[in-house]
């Protein structure tokens, strides 16, 4: 069975600091991995997706994530946080074959302070 | 309208009421999904539709009844709900229901059951 663990339900950074949001997954088959962002009172917006084409995936708004098979990790980073990055971030896994079932982590709420 | 839209955005209902949530996608996709987002649980997949056929029911109680009249519209009919059903209900769509396809989410309907 697939699962996703996001370490840290809340992360707080200063504006301009590095953002690092952690995601570990388990999957018995090569996974598809996603990061979504949810702003208050909104739905989920896709940040980036790993499809095995490249281990370093660049997304929108300056975010990127690196797939590390040996560590079963897909951590999300951004070099310099902006106030507008404050939101909740979800890591999700899906698998090839079968129906398109996204398994989500519990989410990490990012706070950015001046 | 673009993307995935949901109406209403907010809904308050009593336990004996019957109401329906509506989702419409303007992306030309062939698969649609309902998710439930509760305050203290990860996002849960409820139903998957592919070409208007339900292909997955993730052990959802019968008081939730989905309907997909065409590939652009998805409904969730609600009846005799419980207070624990209060949550944000998110609709999503993807090109098809194959594993790994990117899902695009609507803004959600915030449901409160009294």
């Amino acid at each position: 069975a697939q699962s996703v663990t996001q370490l840290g339900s809340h992360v707080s950074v200063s504006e301009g600091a590095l953002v690092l949001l952690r995601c570990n997954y388990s999957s018995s088959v090569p996974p598809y991995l996603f990061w979504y962002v949810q702003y208050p009172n909104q739905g989920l917006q896709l940040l980036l997706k790993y499809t095995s084409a490249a281990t370093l995936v660049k997304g929108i708004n300056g975010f990127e994530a690196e797939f590390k098979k040996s560590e079963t990790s897909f951590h999300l980073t951004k070099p310099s946080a902006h106030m507008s990055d404050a939101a909740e971030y979800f890591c999700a896994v899906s698998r090839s074959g079968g129906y398109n079932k996204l398994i989500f982590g519990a989410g990490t709420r990012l706070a950015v302070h001046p | 309208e673009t993307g995935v839209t949901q109406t209403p955005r907010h809904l308050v209902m009593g336990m004996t009421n019957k109401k329906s949530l509506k989702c419409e996608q303007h992306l030309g996709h062939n698969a649609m999904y309902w998710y439930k987002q509760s305050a203290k649980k990860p996002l849960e997949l409820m139903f998957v539709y592919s070409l208007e056929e339900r292909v997955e029911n993730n052990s959802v109680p019968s008081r939730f009844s989905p309907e997909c009249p065409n590939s652009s519209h998805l409904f969730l009919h609600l009846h005799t709900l419980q207070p624990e059903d209060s949550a944000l209900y998110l609709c999503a769509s993807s090109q098809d229901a194959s594993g790994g396809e990117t899902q695009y989410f609507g803004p959600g309907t915030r449901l409160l059951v009294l």
Side-chain angles (χ1 to χ4, degrees):
Chain A
Q2 295 174 301
S3 66
V4 175
T5 302
Q6 290 185 241
L7 294 174
S9 58
H10 290 81
V11 170
S12 181
V13 300
S14 300
E15 191 173 20
L18 171 72
V19 175
L20 171 60
L21 305 181
R22 298 178 188 275
C23 173
N24 289 90
Y25 71 92
S26 75
S27 177
S28 57
V29 297
Y32 292 93
L33 293 159
F34 304 80
W35 275 100
Y36 283 87
V37 60
Q38 187 177 33
Y39 298 101
N41 300 314
Q42 294 188 28
L44 276 66
Q45 180 182 3
L46 179 70
L47 276 178
L48 49 82
K49 173 183 177 181
Y50 168 74
T51 61
S52 78
T55 56
L56 184 62
V57 183
K58 294 190 183 298
I60 62 171
N61 302 339
F63 284 94
E64 62 182 34
E66 186 173 9
F67 173 73
K68 291 187 176 180
K69 184 177 180 181
S70 60
E71 299 177 8
T72 60
S73 68
F74 191 57
H75 302 331
L76 182 70
T77 60
K78 181 174 180 177
S80 177
H82 192 272
M83 297 296 288
S84 60
D85 295 326
E88 189 151 23
Y89 292 79
F90 294 93
C91 181
V93 63
S94 177
R95 63 173 188 173
S96 58
Y99 291 110
N100 194 12
K101 187 171 182 174
L102 272 178
I103 307 296
F104 284 89
T108 297
R109 187 168 298 277
L110 175 67
V112 182
H113 51 88
Chain B
E1 291 283 11
T2 59
V4 181
T5 58
Q6 291 186 242
T7 55
R9 293 293 310 276
H10 300 271
L11 179 62
V12 180
M13 59 186 290
M15 289 190 285
T16 58
N17 292 158
K18 290 184 180 181
K19 296 287 184 183
S20 295
L21 310 185
K22 178 183 176 182
C23 174
E24 184 174 0
Q25 59 93 4
H26 309 267
L27 299 169
H29 289 165
N30 293 312
M32 297 187 77
Y33 311 79
W34 279 116
Y35 285 86
K36 177 182 179 181
Q37 186 177 28
S38 306
K40 296 186 178 179
K41 294 175 74 174
L43 275 148
E44 301 172 80
L45 177 66
M46 299 175 73
F47 301 104
V48 180
Y49 275 83
S50 175
L51 295 171
E52 300 132 52
E53 178 185 347
R54 190 191 315 175
V55 296
E56 178 128 355
N57 175 345
N58 202 26
S59 303
V60 180
S62 60
R63 58 186 184 269
F64 295 90
S65 175
E67 178 190 1
C68 188
N70 56 63
S71 59
S72 298
H73 294 86
L74 184 65
F75 295 88
L76 189 63
H77 304 298
L78 315 171
H79 62 98
T80 59
L81 293 192
Q82 304 299 310
E84 59 265 28
D85 297 323
S86 299
L88 181 68
Y89 289 85
L90 291 164
C91 174
S93 71
S94 63
Q95 185 60 53
D96 58 55
S98 301
E101 281 289 328
T102 300
Q103 294 182 29
Y104 297 88
F105 286 79
T109 295
R110 175 80 55 194
L111 173 66
L112 177 62
V113 181
L114 300 176

